[in-house]
Amino acid sequence: MKIDLETIRERNFCIDPNYKVNRQLKYDDRSIDVQSGTVWQPNVYQYASSLASKLHLNSIIDFGCGSGDKLSVFAGKFSVTGFDFGSNLKICQQKFPQFEFRQHDFESEDDFPIPRDLGSQSLLICADVIEHLIDPSILLGKLRTLLEVAPILLLSTPDRSKVDAPPLGPPLNPRHIREWTLTELEDLARAFGFQILDSGNTLTNDQEPYWSTSLLVLAGEGFPKGKKIPTNSRYCSKNTLRPWVNTQLYRIANKGRMAASKLSTDSSKTGD
């Protein structure tokens, strides 16, 4: 399938044409997550581990590995290659010397240095990267090329309709250029000729119960013909009830913690 990049760009990457983007990008420094202990998109990586095992793959390639915390689920199970740049890469190398990490500019035209035999045995991950790119079509095009060999790709990005963002932008997060809804992300994937095996929302981080991240599972040429993946609603779900209930429970618990904290503060003042 020939990919018409110019048309995709003209269509604002399948987002409403009136959508406004952030014009200035801040580097997504993940060192703050190391300090806070936050792990982003944990279910994407749990799902990836489950699928790679079921498909008898022996390698994981992560495009945008961040601080690397989420890669710990693969330790002792798969060989891992991570791509990123800047200070994130140094953090990864210190944490996981047994894994391989390579520097790469995701908006450069340079191909990923991945041997064909490695790609054919690898599950690919691109978790919450495209929202940081001025022109995500370059990275998506390279991932589409890799899927001519690799069997499967997990692609995630924040769901604009679930993060209290302005419907027509710009994103509230200064590190995000643009954000898609799940439907827009599916349209973008189809525009690049990706075959969607599973789609839905997934847990955003391990500190809060918000299922505000879109997740697509995409098939490559190496995916077994006629095979269906064992979808798992623990990791990816279009059931809006579960995220809503989790969010309400979290808000109730958070209000309780804030009330208890205020009571403790008031008691201390009374004691004085």
Side-chain angles (χ1 to χ4, degrees), residues 21-235:
V21 302
N22 274 329
R23 293 297 178 183
Q24 294 183 338
L25 176 65
K26 292 186 177 181
Y27 174 65
D28 193 28
D29 185 351
R30 296 285 89 186
S31 61
I32 190 172
D33 298 331
V34 176
Q35 299 167 14
S36 68
T38 302
V39 177
W40 294 90
Q41 307 93 41
N43 284 1
V44 173
Y45 290 77
Q46 293 283 355
Y47 199 5
S49 180
S50 173
L51 289 174
S53 294
K54 288 180 170 62
L55 293 172
H56 306 292
L57 302 176
N58 56 31
S59 172
I60 304 291
I61 303 178
D62 187 13
F63 303 94
C65 50
S67 64
D69 284 319
K70 45 202 176 182
L71 299 176
S72 61
V73 68
F74 305 130
K77 299 178 183 177
F78 308 97
S79 68
V80 175
T81 304
F83 288 90
D84 215 306
F85 67 100
S87 59
N88 290 343
L89 216 55
K90 295 180 181 178
I91 296 171
C92 289
Q93 290 167 338
Q94 291 170 356
K95 284 186 176 181
F96 299 102
Q98 73 273 35
F99 295 159
E100 182 176 358
F101 297 100
R102 302 180 183 181
Q103 182 146 317
H104 193 86
D105 179 355
F106 295 127
E107 292 191 86
S108 77
E109 298 289 349
D110 297 334
D111 292 333
F112 291 108
I114 299 172
R116 187 179 181 87
D117 57 344
L118 175 61
S120 65
Q121 287 297 311
S122 297
L123 180 144
L124 312 182
I125 301 173
C126 185
D128 286 39
V129 175
I130 60 173
E131 69 272 12
H132 299 284
L133 304 180
I134 295 172
D135 185 356
S137 66
I138 298 173
L139 174 59
L140 290 170
K142 289 193 282 190
L143 291 174
R144 181 67 185 84
T145 299
L146 287 174
L147 280 184
E148 293 175 3
V149 176
I152 196 163
L153 162 68
L154 272 65
L155 175 71
S156 74
T157 191
D159 184 339
R160 186 175 80 250
S161 68
K162 298 186 182 301
V163 294
D164 296 327
L168 292 178
L172 298 179
N173 188 330
R175 294 178 178 83
H176 294 177
I177 296 292
R178 61 179 65 78
E179 293 168 343
W180 292 259
T181 66
L182 176 59
T183 300
E184 289 168 345
L185 183 64
E186 291 172 335
D187 290 342
L188 182 64
R190 293 188 185 98
F192 274 88
F194 290 114
Q195 178 190 348
I196 301 174
L197 297 173
D198 191 15
S199 68
N201 289 107
T202 190
L203 189 66
T204 297
N205 66 63
D206 66 347
Q207 303 295 315
E208 301 168 331
Y210 302 125
W211 283 50
S212 54
T213 295
S214 297
L215 173 61
L216 304 184
V217 181
L218 307 170
E221 297 297 327
F223 189 81
K225 301 298 181 185
K227 185 178 180 64
K228 293 184 178 180
I229 64 168
T231 56
N232 193 323
S233 62
R234 286 177 54 201
Y235 305 133

